[in-house]
Amino acid sequence: MSRVGGDPEDLLDLFDEFPELTGQALFSVHIDERDCRIDLGFENAGLPSRPRRAWVEQGLNAFEMHLTFFGIRDLVLEGWTGTPKHTVHFGWMEEGRTPARDSEVRMEIRGTGELICFTAQSVKLTDVRAYRASQAI
């Protein structure tokens, strides 16, 4: 994953390994056909495995992140209604690739009667936010 600048951090600065996206609430999908990019917003009950110290000290207990995928191709969008239950498959296209290296990625999000899938040239963490949630997400 490419760094976006000092803030927000790379995902690997916040997680020991690339986070499992299935089970995180997908609260935002923005498809920008002009720039061939897709922004996805995920919300997670709990903090990442390596949270910022200030988040812990403030007693924050939930986390949201935005991933931006660039150079989109092979986009399939079927029956999307934004239901909260979905399965996310995220993978690097070439064997041996890791999130620390730039490489093409394949994204697939499935729900009952719903599908979003695409290939992207790259992906970046473009926003992070921790907060106190009053109940589990």
Side-chain angles (χ1 to χ4, degrees), residues 9-53:
E9 307 94 331
D10 246 346
L11 276 177
L12 294 179
D13 290 341
L14 294 170
F15 292 91
D16 293 325
E17 57 187 35
F18 194 84
E20 173 61 47
L21 298 176
T22 295
Q24 293 192 17
L26 176 63
F27 68 88
S28 173
V29 175
H30 177 80
I31 300 171
D32 185 341
E33 71 280 357
R34 295 166 301 183
D35 291 331
C36 292
R37 78 174 192 216
I38 295 177
D39 300 308
L40 301 177
F42 291 93
E43 196 171 40
N44 190 8
L47 295 177
S49 54
R50 289 190 263 178
R52 292 179 182 168
R53 181 183 306 183

Side-chain angles (χ1 to χ4, degrees), residues 42-86:
F42 291 93
E43 196 171 40
N44 190 8
L47 295 177
S49 54
R50 289 190 263 178
R52 292 179 182 168
R53 181 183 306 183
W55 294 350
V56 174
E57 291 171 352
Q58 294 171 24
L60 305 180
N61 62 356
F63 174 74
E64 81 180 32
M65 65 181 169
H66 292 260
L67 298 175
T68 301
F69 297 83
F70 298 92
I72 301 300
R73 68 176 198 279
D74 306 324
L75 173 64
V76 175
L77 178 63
E78 296 177 359
W80 190 254
T81 61
T83 60
K85 302 260 186 217
H86 57 271

